[in-house]
Amino acid sequence: MLIPSRETGFLHPRSSEITPRGIYEGRRDMLRLLAGGVAGAALATWAGRDAWAAATPRPGKLAALPGGASAVSGAVTMEKLTSYQDASSYNNFYEFGTDKADPARNAHTLKTSPWTVEVEGLVKKPGKFGIEDLLKLSSQEERIYRLRCVEGWSMVIPWVGYSLAELIKRVEPLGSAKYVEFVTLADKATMPYVGSRVLDWPYTEGLRMDEALHPLTLLAFGMYGEVLPNQNGAPVRIVVPWKYGFKSAKSIVKIRFTEKEPPTAWNKAARNEYGFYSNVNPNVDHPRWSQATERRIGEDGLFAKKRKTLLFNGYEAQVGQLYAGMDLQKYY
Ligand code: MTE
């Protein structure tokens, strides 16, 4: 992004050590809800699946539950999972700071309960969804997605959620709705960088309607079988695996259906660097660096060989047809 990170490799303390009691209790309530409700039914146990499972138990760790991986094509990759430690301590969440270690350090102030997501704009059934209702709207699935950041690194993360399409169908978009805009929380009281001039707050993102309806587009509430840590976008975010990571807006408070392409935070900040589409594409360089290769977080030392970046982040079979006939150099 615009501001280079120092990439400190900072290891943050366990959340039991940094989370104030009130927030910790709130998270426990959410977990009870997850474990007891429809939402919990498909959250699988991840114990033993990878190295992260050996880590010290975290507060609110979910009990083993039956449930399998998603049946959506492309929703699972057999690549090695990024460790929970890396996925929750190396983040971009500029509302909490611009260094990769800042979100894990600062996001404990985010108050994720109560939480409401407002659906508005060109839909037959606009309304406000409490996070509890949103969690239960459809059954939760595990999706193991690659996340490729525009900065040149990637991770493999097991998300928990359901296709955004489930929510979209529920609110019945009008024929005139061509785009979906995501507006995220911008609360100066709890987010120390909101008010800074790094970005035009709130952080917003958008998708074309067919992208938003694509089954791979996930409305995510959890990762690694647990609710999302604050720094990863609690209590609800989207994950769009074939696009650069910045399209995956965190801590969403509003979903708006529009006729015109909505403005997006990074596009407003640097129009020639961050386009609306932002599909992962090794053939379209960022003006200041190549996008041909990537560094997989956690598995490589300073001199380790980089991986080749794949078109649409490896999801071409699933999403390539959405862009048939489009000039991807122009619509970057
Ligand atoms: N959402 C908000 N609200 N604010 C942000 O700064 N950063 C984006 C995206 N969503 C961001 C955001 C970027 S640049 C990336 S790469 C991903 O979140 C990172 O998600 P992760 O930290 O869970 O890996």
Side-chain angles (χ1 to χ4, degrees):
M1 313 308 288
L2 288 178
I3 294 177
S5 155
R6 282 187 282 113
E7 301 191 359
T8 55
F10 165 83
L11 293 177
H12 75 100
R14 273 180 282 144
S15 49
S16 57
E17 290 159 27
I18 56 169
T19 310
R21 191 173 176 81
I23 292 169
Y24 172 76
E25 294 297 344
R27 180 172 298 168
R28 292 300 295 265
D29 289 342
M30 176 97 130
L31 281 163
R32 268 196 290 275
L33 186 86
L34 270 168
V38 184
L43 286 174
T45 173
W46 287 86
R49 287 195 57 172
D50 212 327
W52 73 269
T56 319
R58 299 175 291 276
K61 188 143 179 50
L62 285 168
L65 290 166
S70 171
V72 173
S73 163
V76 174
T77 166
M78 291 303 151
E79 287 167 278
K80 187 173 178 292
L81 297 182
T82 299
S83 73
Y84 180 94
Q85 176 67 27
D86 281 339
S88 61
S89 62
Y90 189 89
N91 302 101
N92 276 331
F93 200 166
Y94 275 31
E95 290 84 336
F96 294 103
T98 55
D99 189 273
K100 297 286 176 279
D102 285 341
R105 204 160 26 201
N106 299 331
H108 59 90
T109 52
L110 178 67
K111 195 167 171 281
T112 57
S113 175
W115 192 277
T116 307
V117 177
E118 201 171 346
V119 178
E120 62 174 41
L122 303 173
V123 285
K124 279 199 198 110
K125 295 182 175 168
K128 289 184 181 175
F129 291 82
I131 191 69
E132 297 79 7
D133 297 331
L134 213 51
L135 274 162
K136 287 183 279 190
L137 190 108
S138 186
S139 52
Q140 306 268 340
E141 298 181 344
E142 298 165 355
R143 305 272 183 94
I144 305 175
Y145 284 161
R146 286 178 292 275
L147 183 115
R148 166 62 157 84
C149 184
V150 74
E151 295 159 302
W153 49 265
S154 61
M155 298 195 192
V156 179
I157 298 180
W159 303 102
V160 182
Y162 52 78
S163 293
L164 175 67
E166 298 295 332
L167 172 63
I168 296 180
K169 279 184 242 157
R170 215 54 81 90
V171 298
E172 300 181 26
L174 303 176
S176 53
K178 301 280 188 277
Y179 294 90
V180 185
E181 181 181 12
F182 305 94
V183 182
T184 70
L185 185 71
D187 176 28
K188 277 189 186 167
T190 56
M191 299 171 136
Y193 273 65
V194 169
S196 76
R197 286 187 296 166
V198 183
L199 285 173
D200 186 12
W201 313 101
Y203 189 104
T204 62
E205 257 307 333
L207 294 173
R208 212 169 59 185
M209 185 64 92
D210 57 347
E211 298 176 324
L213 282 169
H214 193 282
L216 280 180
T217 301
L218 186 71
L219 194 63
F221 304 90
M223 59 183 216
Y224 300 82
E226 301 180 10
V227 297
L228 285 172
N230 289 356
Q231 59 269 31
N232 290 85
V236 57
R237 67 176 290 172
I238 56 158
V239 186
V240 193
W242 70 95
K243 292 179 180 279
Y244 291 116
F246 66 88
K247 297 296 287 181
S248 297
K250 294 176 168 181
S251 304
I252 293 169
V253 291
K254 201 171 275 187
I255 299 178
R256 187 184 287 140
F257 291 76
T258 65
E259 189 162 8
K260 293 210 176 92
E261 186 182 289
T264 64
W266 281 104
N267 185 251
K268 281 194 281 182
R271 186 166 295 275
N272 66 326
E273 300 192 5
Y274 310 109
F276 178 79
Y277 284 92
S278 292
N279 292 315
V280 174
N281 191 338
N283 309 315
V284 178
D285 290 342
H286 183 282
R288 290 184 282 136
W289 60 82
S290 161
Q291 292 291 18
T293 59
E294 66 199 56
R295 185 170 66 92
R296 181 63 53 83
I297 297 295
E299 68 174 28
D300 44 6
L302 199 57
F303 304 106
K305 220 167 158 259
K306 288 189 169 187
R307 289 167 176 256
K308 280 195 169 144
T309 289
L310 301 173
L311 182 61
F312 300 116
N313 203 19
Y315 298 96
E316 185 178 4
Q318 287 78 27
V319 302
Q321 77 283 359
L322 296 178
Y323 309 101
M326 259 177 85
D327 180 352
L328 298 175
Q329 301 278 337
K330 186 173 172 203
Y331 297 101
Y332 58 87

